[in-house]
Amino acid sequence: MPGSMSSAGDDPGAQDAAESNDRLDGLIEANRPVALAIGEHAASIAVLGHGGISVPVGDLAGVVSRGEVVGPRWVWWSNDTAASLLDLDVRVARCWDLSAVHRLLVGGWTSTPDRVWAHTRGLDLDGIPTVQPVDLFHQSDDHDPDEPIRVDGYLHPDWSGGSWASRTSRVARWAELALDVQQFQEVALDDVAAEPHPGAARTREHLRSTALSESAAELMCAELAHDGLPFDRSVGERIVAGFVGPRPRDAAEEVIRLEELDATVLGQLPPGTTFDLRRPDQVKSLLRRVGIEVPDTRAWRLEALRDAHPIVEPLLAWRRAERIRTTFGYHWIDEHVDADGRLRGEWHGSDGAAGRMTATAGLHNMPAEMRPAVLAEPGHRFVRADLGQIEPRVLAAVSADRQLIRAAREDDMYAPVAARLGVERSVAKVAVLGAMYGQTTGIGAEALRGLEREYPVAMGYLRRADEAAQGGHDLRTYGGRRIRMSGATAVTMSAGDVRSRAAARGRYGRNAMVQGAAAEFFKTWAALIRARGRQLGVEFVLCLHDELIAHVADEHAEATALLFTECLAETAQRWGPQDGDPVRFVADTSVIGCWADAK
DNA sequence: TGCGGCTATTG
DNA sequence: CACAATAGCCGCAG
């Protein structure tokens, strides 16, 4: 495809492309960001901003893959553009994702162009216009269809909605707007840097680095969705069969299979007795029949009653089988494992309360029993690493608690904490986790007092977040992510009195500061590996909050494992507080052929 | 058909 | 059964 860039002749498109190429070189050399937008109709046109440089899409691959080496940093509205490029088999090195940076700076879940734009103009989000149904009496709209901005400053809903890209000039305008927003976001990062952060100094460099790694995370999401997780269908089906039997050939056979499964439990009862095992209240009645009284029928509760009656054991086994049958069974495999042996789901780069990555299709909650089906392809290996004790280490970093940073020098940082507190390691661990989750009951009072005494800086950081959240004040993580506490629907909570709701908000805010910063650290680490692992052909196939799995050719597996470790050290060096010793981060790294072989 | 309750899995 | 997430099935209201 690069060859098409230089095709001469009197084709005006080719001439434009050659000229564009030169101008793009200039931008790359000047290290300027370049906006990229792709028209919706079969990706008919790509347009680069800054002076309206436009490149026909046939030549895009040549431009972009050349850009991998030096740059540029591609600016786009969202990773939809990255997904379009992947469909064209184009992978870029780096980007600035307006949607991701908007969610970082503003918080919340939605970051559609209309909202992103309105925010740059300080406009009320409630006033964002929506697409109006065609009105026969007001057809003569004086709005210029080539102009995306309305007189009231809002983005025209036609543009935000996606029916804008039918003409080249509009795609160019769209790219220009993207550059405007990017400039706004650069300034917004300065504003955030000026806000106080009660802990490690939150510099502009750190915030900008977070904006870049959050952008990279979106890029990774597009790639994860595109590439999928290697999954051996036949192994997966064998595992399913082990729980629920062979795949039923028709509906009638499925009914028989269900009855067989139910009979493993109901067979323990007098003949003729029947309960609907899928209804918790019926299960409760069943247990009462055999003399067991429980407030609910959750597995952990029944686990303790294994010996109380012989029906408990088969009931627990039935639950596991039912879980596989309904959620991770044949239907799940059919739905999400494609013909090329890849399990694919949707990925989001910063979802939820604190900006963790999320995934659908069971990629983040697949039962461990299914892991034998996650197999590297022939000639390939998985390189897998998980970060050890990531949350307490992140707490040490963001709060800049010197004593906790000292504890993080150890592979197991709960050991020195336990020593200082004068308690068992297990007690220290529960206490530290409890402090980060906001647990108040069930922790030894002695351990709690010890934490306050020995790590007052870290504890104060958490308490401060808790109190601010309870007061309905928004928070900002170390990396600058805004945690919205003001919105009425920002937190969904079970019904309760005012005090318990406030306490729940406090726990939410307290935890978001740690979990959110941990997510930022993880993405920074992963983005660095992605950038450095290009020559090795490193392909990420799973990101799991603190665990990263790459798929790589055999001959590069060891080098990739080394890269994981080196990138971790570099991330730790640059990510945390810069005055004093860096916080130590540790990872357990392995080269494996199957996910089940980990650890 | 949408929603809350209950359950189970993951980090 | 703390913090976060996805996702299934159930009964019930509309």
Side-chain angles (χ1 to χ4, degrees):
Chain A
M1 262 195 277
S4 60
M5 292 297 296
S6 53
S7 63
D10 32 39
D11 173 9
Q15 211 160 7
D16 287 350
E19 193 188 325
S20 302
N21 204 4
D22 291 340
R23 299 175 70 178
L24 182 60
D25 277 339
L27 291 170
I28 291 171
E29 207 162 321
N31 204 23
R32 299 284 297 278
V34 180
L36 175 58
I38 299 180
E40 60 171 340
H41 297 303
S44 55
I45 279 286
V47 173
L48 319 172
H50 267 315
I53 302 169
S54 66
V55 179
V57 76
D59 294 331
L60 180 64
V63 173
V64 173
S65 52
R66 193 178 41 127
E68 281 175 11
V69 183
V70 192
R73 184 170 296 284
W74 298 100
V75 176
W76 48 52
W77 285 92
S78 78
N79 70 352
D80 288 353
T81 305
S84 297
L85 292 177
L86 285 167
D87 287 341
L88 295 167
D89 208 27
V90 170
R91 289 176 193 243
V92 304
R94 51 188 192 151
C95 72
W96 182 290
D97 188 302
L98 300 177
S99 161
V101 179
H102 175 86
R103 280 201 307 287
L104 177 73
L105 292 170
V106 179
W109 281 259
T110 50
S111 51
T112 46
D114 50 1
R115 298 177 79 91
V116 173
W117 176 259
H119 183 252
T120 68
R121 294 298 153 109
L123 296 169
D124 183 4
L125 298 185
D126 294 332
I128 288 176
T130 53
V131 182
Q132 298 294 320
V134 177
D135 184 340
L136 292 173
F137 298 98
H138 299 91
Q139 265 190 343
S140 56
D141 191 348
D142 59 356
H143 181 80
D144 174 5
D146 286 335
E147 176 48 50
I149 309 305
R150 310 194 329 171
V151 286
D152 60 8
Y154 285 106
L155 192 61
H156 196 282
D158 283 351
W159 286 69
S160 192
S163 59
W164 46 271
S166 51
R167 280 173 39 189
T168 308
S169 60
R170 296 185 196 176
V171 187
R173 186 81 177 91
W174 194 233
E176 274 179 45
L177 280 188
L179 282 183
D180 281 356
V181 176
Q182 197 270 338
Q183 290 301 305
F184 170 88
Q185 291 183 340
E186 291 272 14
V187 174
L189 288 171
D190 289 332
D191 296 342
V192 174
E195 293 176 18
H197 175 254
R202 193 168 53 193
T203 62
R204 198 204 181 270
E205 289 68 37
H206 182 74
L207 293 171
R208 191 160 197 282
S209 158
T210 307
L212 299 185
S213 60
E214 293 294 319
S215 295
E218 293 295 338
L219 206 43
M220 292 188 274
C221 283
E223 290 172 348
L224 286 159
H226 183 266
D227 296 336
L229 177 70
F231 188 97
D232 189 305
R233 170 181 283 266
S234 64
V235 174
E237 292 189 339
R238 269 205 298 283
I239 295 167
V240 172
F243 283 94
V244 302
R247 185 191 281 266
R249 282 188 299 261
D250 52 44
E253 201 173 293
E254 184 158 16
V255 171
I256 293 168
R257 193 83 65 213
L258 280 184
E259 286 169 352
E260 284 171 4
L261 286 170
D262 290 3
T264 62
V265 179
L266 300 175
Q268 304 286 321
L269 297 168
T273 333
T274 182
F275 290 95
D276 186 344
L277 298 173
R278 289 165 191 81
R279 288 175 48 178
D281 56 323
Q282 293 253 316
V283 174
K284 221 187 278 188
S285 303
L286 180 156
L287 291 169
R288 195 177 302 121
R289 183 73 63 91
V290 301
I292 297 174
E293 190 73 39
V294 280
D296 61 65
T297 70
R298 288 185 171 85
W300 68 268
R301 206 183 284 283
L302 300 185
E303 210 75 51
L305 298 165
R306 256 175 204 285
D307 300 326
H309 190 276
I311 203 169
V312 175
E313 177 74 42
L315 177 59
L316 286 167
W318 181 90
R319 278 269 176 84
R320 283 194 296 277
E322 181 71 358
R323 165 91 170 146
I324 295 290
R325 192 184 69 79
T326 56
T327 309
F328 292 99
Y330 298 115
H331 180 257
W332 171 69
I333 292 175
D334 294 345
E335 191 87 349
H336 299 113
V337 180
D338 295 321
D340 62 353
R342 294 286 178 122
L343 171 59
R344 289 186 175 84
E346 294 167 20
W347 286 82
H348 296 280
S350 59
D351 225 1
R356 273 186 172 184
M357 294 173 78
T358 60
T360 65
L363 284 159
H364 275 177
N365 58 348
M366 189 192 308
E369 290 96 328
M370 298 299 304
R371 291 186 185 185
V374 179
L375 282 171
E377 290 170 359
H380 290 74
R381 305 281 281 167
F382 290 131
V383 177
R384 189 214 69 102
D386 69 286
L387 302 172
Q389 304 172 342
I390 176 68
E391 291 193 339
R393 286 173 202 278
V394 159
L395 173 61
V398 301
S399 67
D401 185 312
R402 290 187 171 277
Q403 206 53 245
L404 202 56
I405 290 172
R406 178 183 283 271
R409 288 181 190 170
E410 302 298 322
D411 281 0
D412 173 20
M413 66 181 288
Y414 295 124
V417 172
R420 280 201 160 258
L421 268 53
V423 298
E424 291 293 312
R425 179 192 180 276
S426 59
V427 175
K429 178 179 175 179
V430 168
V432 171
L433 291 174
M436 291 188 296
Y437 292 156
Q439 185 183 19
T440 51
T441 56
I443 307 174
E446 182 194 5
L448 219 48
R449 272 200 310 276
L451 278 182
E452 291 289 350
R453 183 185 68 239
E454 301 294 335
Y455 306 100
V457 178
M459 294 303 117
Y461 183 86
L462 293 170
R463 193 180 329 103
R464 188 170 172 155
D466 194 309
E467 288 165 0
Q470 286 208 36
H473 300 108
D474 294 347
L475 302 170
R476 231 183 243 291
T477 65
Y478 178 49
R481 179 172 302 280
R482 187 178 181 196
I483 311 293
R484 286 186 157 282
M485 301 302 308
S486 43
T489 55
V491 191
T492 58
M493 281 175 297
S494 58
D497 62 32
V498 175
R499 275 182 55 201
S500 78
R501 288 168 65 96
R505 272 207 308 276
R507 290 196 300 272
Y508 173 95
R510 174 189 286 257
N511 182 251
M513 293 294 279
V514 179
Q515 192 191 98
E520 289 153 17
F521 181 91
F522 177 85
K523 288 181 232 180
T524 304
W525 177 50
L528 190 59
I529 296 170
R530 181 185 176 276
R532 300 270 169 82
R534 212 160 178 77
Q535 302 91 321
L536 295 170
V538 172
E539 175 188 58
F540 288 154
V541 290
L542 198 68
C543 293
L544 197 43
H545 310 312
D546 65 350
E547 182 175 3
L548 182 58
I549 305 182
H551 190 241
V552 65
D554 279 331
E555 62 268 30
H556 294 139
E558 287 303 330
T560 301
L562 187 63
L563 181 69
F564 273 39
T565 307
E566 288 169 352
C567 287
L568 180 60
E570 189 172 332
T571 301
Q573 179 78 39
R574 302 201 315 214
W575 186 81
Q578 297 298 303
D579 53 341
D581 294 336
V583 178
R584 180 152 177 268
F585 285 84
V586 297
D588 177 45
T589 308
S590 51
V591 176
I592 51 180
C594 172
W595 195 14
D597 296 340
K599 277 200 231 173

